[in-house]
Amino acid sequence: MSRYLQHRVFVVSVVVNVLIVMAGALFPERVAELAEAGLAAVTRLFGWFYMASLFGFIVLLAALAFSRYGKVRLGPQDGRPDYDAFSWISMLLAAGLGVGLVFYGVAEPMRHYLAPPYGEAVPGTAEAARRAIQYSFFNWGVHQWSVFALVGLVIAYFQFRKGRAGLVSSVLSTVAPATPRGRFWAPWLDVFAVVATVMGVATSLGLGVLQVNGGLHAVFGLPESVLWQGVILAVMFVAYMTSTWAGLDKGIRRLSNFNMLLCLVMLVYVLFAGPTLRILETVTLGFGDYLQHFIGMSLRATPYSDGAWARDWTLFYWAWAIAWSPFVGTFVARVSRGRTIREFVLGVLLVPALLACLWVGVFGGAALHLERSADTGLASATEANLNVALFQMIDLLPFSGLLSVVAMLLILVFLVTSADSASYIVAQMTDDGSINPPFYKRAIWGGLIAAICLMLMALGGLSGLQSASVLASLPFAFVLFAMAVALLRVLREDHRSLLSLLYRRHGEVPVGADPIEADLLERERRAARASGKGRVESRK
């Protein structure tokens, strides 16, 4: 019994995941119908809530970055980051956006070109192309990363500054009373985060496998079938199990750096092999429209229309980001130890969003210009099959065969890093928040994620489970607010205690000193006392 209590989150999470997957596999159509109806109702009734919440998160994070708390370090105040800037950003992208960005980088602008956002332009016109890039930037910009940044910042502060476990329940224990009822619900909150993560990762991997299969079909003529999808998944499984065995530094970090280099190579090649001037103009105009209409787009509700476009795109993305946030946020926290709050917010909120917009601008801009200038059929091909949109665009460029192989390698490595980081974080969540969970738990979760993915693709339950996993976003949105409250409360308390230290030692601290300087001074004084004590004892 004591052994079960020690591993109850792990055991219960495995059982719940298996039950949900069995339901999705045995009754795929019914599950898909119920999940999609539920998701439609949630986005229709709470669309305004998602819009206001994410905009509020951005404002909160910006305020923290430039406030007196910006200099606070996520770890010892005299510590340094665990990873250099390139590796840090590479791992953020690998866990947060990789597969989805490659999947939608061409497909989304083309879809918006055919069905402009909010019906603001005539389909297939220059204005439709402009709105397509503007709203693609918006959907892949800072809003998604505000959710990941908030969860990551809270968990990192509590884990590396306060010495708590890297769990959502551990953070919320600071705002909830320590009652038997609160202790009862805490493990279930961790189970909820694990289930949402596993379902989200499994469905995302499924979409990535479908895209690789679509690329193999477009380039080599291989059939789009469950057999080939199983082969792709098997190759990916062997790769990410190898990466999992290698560990965070040798596995995920090296693969993420490699993938970042592949991304940059593809980005530069498409920029110069495609219509370079038009791409540069598209990116410039896209950023201008994005910045000019940022607040309006952020708070755009639809009280006078049905808002179908927003529900299908923007609100789905926001809900997906919230449901995905326990995993991505925890991983972001794990690789951000040693950063200051200002570095963390600016790095997590802005840099991945900037790179995502550049990717969409280059690939989407190239696709739109090729479609408009030569009527290449990209739009109709994308409308018929999203999986081949990227490869149809690549086929119009020089050395398309080689570039398609590079694109498939990029997608495959993104899948590997996503699955590897997910198995690592889920193992951490089911091992009391340990930053070094045992290999057997990482291997079990990695195998379970692959098995779920294969079963859903074989039985047609992928879209239904994707909608079901996104439904988790609504309750977790309230958890995010509680986490924000917990962070603000602890930051204020820590600031007050450091000010008290400053006042007690005011005779030795310059007038312009702030609490962080006081904290560093106290650490130096402790080290000096310890060193002096050691010298005295050695003399004795």
Side-chain angles (χ1 to χ4, degrees), residues 310-526:
R311 289 197 297 271
D312 291 341
W313 289 99
T314 300
L315 294 176
F316 179 83
Y317 279 144
W318 288 187
W320 182 254
I322 293 173
W324 197 244
S325 63
F327 152 52
V328 180
T330 305
F331 184 78
V332 167
R334 175 63 184 85
V335 300
S336 300
R337 180 167 57 181
R339 303 276 170 187
T340 64
I341 289 180
R342 183 171 297 126
E343 289 173 340
F344 178 93
V345 170
L346 295 180
V348 177
L349 196 61
L350 298 182
V351 178
L354 175 62
L355 293 174
C357 290
L358 283 175
W359 182 275
V360 171
V362 171
F363 281 81
L368 287 170
H369 179 73
L370 292 170
E371 175 68 14
R372 287 182 52 77
S373 62
D375 191 20
T376 57
L378 271 175
S380 57
T382 302
E383 191 173 25
N385 187 356
L386 280 176
N387 296 328
V388 300
L390 173 65
F391 300 98
Q392 291 283 353
M393 192 275 290
I394 287 175
D395 194 45
L396 302 173
L397 300 174
F399 303 104
S400 58
L402 177 60
L403 191 61
S404 294
V405 172
V406 173
M408 283 186 280
L409 179 61
L410 177 68
I411 296 167
L412 188 64
V413 179
F414 265 136
L415 290 172
V416 170
T417 53
S418 295
D420 189 4
S421 54
S423 61
Y424 181 94
I425 291 304
V426 173
Q428 176 180 322
M429 290 177 177
T430 55
D431 195 53
D432 293 329
S434 168
I435 63 172
N436 293 303
F439 174 73
Y440 81 89
K441 285 189 176 181
R442 288 180 280 152
I444 288 175
W445 283 116
L448 187 59
I449 288 170
I452 291 171
C453 182
L454 180 61
M455 184 183 299
L456 293 173
M457 287 190 297
L459 299 176
L462 199 62
S463 62
L465 199 61
Q466 183 184 37
S467 299
S469 64
V470 175
L471 280 174
S473 65
L474 183 60
F476 201 78
F478 296 99
V479 174
L480 291 179
F481 279 99
M483 294 177 74
V485 170
L487 177 64
L488 292 175
R489 177 180 296 179
V490 172
L491 281 172
R492 187 172 61 251
E493 291 174 353
D494 289 352
H495 178 74
R496 187 181 298 116
S497 64
L498 287 173
L499 279 178
S500 299
L501 172 64
L502 178 64
Y503 293 152
R504 287 197 305 270
R505 308 190 65 250
H506 64 88
E508 302 176 34
V509 179
V511 175
D514 63 14
I516 304 304
E517 291 171 315
D519 183 27
L520 286 171
L521 185 62
E522 180 64 17
R523 289 176 181 273
E524 292 173 1
R525 186 175 181 180
R526 288 176 191 166

Side-chain angles (χ1 to χ4, degrees), residues 23 35 40 50 99 136 181 211 239 262 267 271 407 438 450 465-466 491 496-497 513 526:
Y50 286 124
V99 176
S136 295
R181 178 177 295 182
Q211 191 182 23
L262 276 184
L267 198 70
L271 174 62
L465 199 61
Q466 183 184 37
L491 281 172
R496 187 181 298 116
S497 64
R526 288 176 191 166

Side-chain angles (χ1 to χ4, degrees), residues 46 79 82 97 180 191 223 270 275 387 418 441 443 486 527:
F46 294 94
D82 287 354
L97 289 178
V191 170
V270 172
N387 296 328
S418 295
K441 285 189 176 181

Side-chain angles (χ1 to χ4, degrees), residues 270-342:
V270 172
L271 174 62
F272 289 103
T276 305
L277 179 60
R278 296 301 183 189
I279 292 174
L280 293 174
E281 291 175 339
T282 297
V283 171
T284 303
L285 179 62
F287 273 115
D289 287 337
Y290 178 40
L291 296 175
Q292 181 181 355
H293 302 285
F294 181 79
I295 295 178
M297 290 189 295
S298 299
L299 299 174
R300 184 164 188 174
T302 55
Y304 311 115
S305 62
D306 63 0
W309 184 89
R311 289 197 297 271
D312 291 341
W313 289 99
T314 300
L315 294 176
F316 179 83
Y317 279 144
W318 288 187
W320 182 254
I322 293 173
W324 197 244
S325 63
F327 152 52
V328 180
T330 305
F331 184 78
V332 167
R334 175 63 184 85
V335 300
S336 300
R337 180 167 57 181
R339 303 276 170 187
T340 64
I341 289 180
R342 183 171 297 126

Side-chain angles (χ1 to χ4, degrees), residues 54-83:
L54 268 71
F55 183 70
F57 295 156
I58 293 172
V59 173
L60 173 63
L61 289 166
L64 285 174
F66 294 102
S67 71
R68 62 192 180 190
Y69 305 122
K71 294 171 63 176
V72 174
R73 198 171 291 277
L74 303 174
Q77 195 59 40
D78 53 353
R80 287 295 175 263
D82 287 354
Y83 301 99

